[in-house]
Amino acid sequence: MEGSGCYESYFEGRWVPTPSKVPTTPPTDWLQWKKNPGVRSFDGCLFVPLRLENLPSPRHRTPILSPTLPCCPLLDQASLDHKLMKLETGLRAEDCETGLLLLGLKDNPELKIIQAALSRQGVEHQCLPSEELKLRFPNIRLARGEVGLLDKSGGVLYADKALRALQDAIRQLGGLVHDGEKVMEIKPGLPVMVKSTSRSYQAKSLIITAGPWTNRLLHPLGIELPLQTLRINVCYWQEKVPGSYSVSQAFPCLLGLGLSLTPYHIYGLPSGEYPGLMKVCYHHGNNADPEERDCLAAFSDIQDVQILSRFVHDHLTDLEPEPAIMEHCMYTRTQV
């Protein structure tokens, strides 16, 4: 998945005494929250969820690639939650469920693993040899030995709508969402103490989802996770024929595996975010400090853009081979 981690967010519960007659069953997922809105009580204490956001809303216009990856059982619940979110936010299925077309050499080990996982989980998919893929998607060109694997359940997640749905669920629980309130200090204990730029909070538990800022928060606690923060060039490419790579033309998301001898994936999303522009990006970037990602030194390496230009020229022949727009985001990767 692309994106995520371009901001800091924190979630905690504030605890105050409450009568014992209040139900004590905790909500375990989105559906339970939606069936039983309102504040919750655990162990005789009132649970008021609070989410602190470093940056103001709205943000995260950028959609993100959503492959099925059926080898992960957790995605069964995630898929159900996302379907509910689509109903509540008015997203049309055809705007999200575009399908995901994986491209790679016929004997690519990763492609074989994904195909086996799709078969094992009973996910609808289709293997497309070069000739058949050309008939179905004439604006994709494959090199000798390359094939396509179409996962019909893949598609696009709209991060801004998903974040808004999460915030709405918190508010419906009787919780609070504080935008533009950066966490400055965390003091472990019972309760946990959290100091922000505005005030201090107490909580029985604290969840940190700070993306590239995670280790900056954990360092004072003597904790460092094996995380790598990368600055990614997000490129948009002009269609030679407007709409030819759009959702309205049933064009899928793309994921290139090992194409053009690249060590990392190349992915693409149908045009629509910017009319007439398809998003094609490289799943890697340059090491960057999230607080200095826009400094001049961060713009020096554009090797990934050159890789993308070759990919577009060779495989997406109805796009101009130079990016029309280039934006940036941060990745947070676990180093192994």
Side-chain angles (χ1 to χ4, degrees):
M1 280 190 180
E2 182 243 337
S4 178
C6 298
Y7 62 99
E8 292 177 79
S9 59
Y10 311 87
F11 180 85
E12 65 146 348
R14 290 189 295 167
W15 295 74
V16 297
T18 189
S20 59
K21 64 180 180 180
V22 179
T24 59
T25 303
T28 57
D29 56 37
W30 177 297
L31 291 177
Q32 287 185 326
W33 286 6
K34 300 303 293 182
K35 290 178 181 177
N36 302 287
V39 295
R40 300 306 174 96
S41 172
F42 310 122
D43 302 327
C45 291
L46 184 66
F47 177 70
V48 181
L50 169 65
R51 183 179 176 93
L52 302 183
E53 298 276 4
N54 179 35
L55 301 179
S57 294
R59 60 183 179 278
H60 290 302
R61 164 187 51 76
T62 303
I64 56 180
L65 179 64
S66 173
T68 302
L69 297 179
C71 54
C72 181
L74 290 175
L75 287 185
D76 289 340
Q77 180 64 50
S79 177
L80 185 62
D81 291 346
H82 184 249
K83 288 179 181 177
L84 180 62
M85 185 272 290
K86 285 191 294 186
L87 290 174
E88 296 192 345
T89 57
L91 273 177
R92 300 180 305 170
E94 57 267 31
D95 290 336
C96 304
E97 299 169 8
T98 63
L100 171 64
L101 180 62
L102 298 105
L103 305 175
L105 291 172
K106 186 177 181 179
D107 57 353
N108 181 287
E110 187 175 5
L111 189 63
K112 289 183 176 181
I113 291 173
I114 294 173
Q115 182 178 352
L118 292 170
S119 298
R120 185 169 59 250
Q121 298 295 326
V123 177
E124 186 179 4
H125 64 283
Q126 185 177 4
C127 300
L128 300 174
S130 179
E131 300 78 11
E132 187 174 349
L133 188 142
K134 185 176 181 180
L135 291 174
R136 186 159 182 177
F137 303 109
N139 47 5
I140 297 178
R141 178 190 297 169
L142 294 184
R144 183 184 299 273
E146 294 176 350
V147 298
L149 176 63
L150 181 61
D151 169 9
K152 297 184 178 180
S153 64
V156 179
L157 296 177
Y158 289 87
D160 58 336
K161 293 179 172 61
L163 178 60
R164 192 178 307 123
L166 171 62
Q167 293 175 339
D168 288 345
I170 291 173
R171 293 187 181 100
Q172 290 175 23
L173 279 167
L176 303 171
V177 177
H178 291 183
D179 286 336
E181 189 171 340
K182 183 176 182 179
V183 170
M184 305 301 294
E185 184 182 6
I186 299 171
K187 293 183 179 179
L190 289 175
V192 181
M193 304 290 292
V194 178
K195 182 179 180 181
S196 75
T197 49
S198 300
R199 56 175 295 183
S200 295
Y201 302 91
Q202 298 183 23
K204 183 177 181 181
S205 60
L206 172 69
I207 298 173
I208 301 174
T209 58
W213 290 272
T214 298
N215 277 334
R216 190 177 293 244
L217 282 170
L218 295 179
H219 180 72
L221 307 179
I223 302 172
E224 184 170 356
L225 300 180
L227 302 178
Q228 180 184 27
T229 58
L230 301 174
R231 179 182 178 277
I232 306 298
N233 293 318
V234 182
C235 298
Y236 298 84
W237 310 76
Q238 183 75 50
E239 295 172 319
K240 295 177 181 178
V241 179
S244 56
Y245 289 94
S246 67
V247 173
S248 63
Q249 296 298 315
F251 195 80
C253 297
L254 297 179
L255 189 63
L257 310 176
L259 300 181
S260 304
L261 301 179
T262 58
Y264 300 98
H265 297 162
I266 294 173
Y267 72 93
L269 303 182
S271 62
E273 187 179 354
Y274 289 113
L277 300 180
M278 182 178 175
K279 181 177 182 177
V280 182
C281 304
Y282 193 49
H283 247 323
H284 197 67
N286 304 311
N287 290 317
D289 185 325
E291 296 291 347
E292 300 179 0
R293 62 177 185 162
D294 293 323
C295 68
L296 292 178
F299 292 84
S300 59
D301 191 349
I302 58 170
Q303 182 180 2
D304 56 328
V305 180
Q306 297 168 353
I307 292 172
L308 291 173
S309 291
R310 290 198 302 269
F311 173 80
V312 169
H313 177 271
D314 294 341
H315 292 84
L316 303 173
T317 55
D318 287 342
L319 293 178
E320 297 293 346
E322 297 296 330
I325 296 176
M326 186 164 67
E327 299 176 342
H328 308 95
C329 74
M330 295 294 296
Y331 275 14
T332 304
R333 299 180 58 210
T334 302
Q335 293 180 303
V336 293

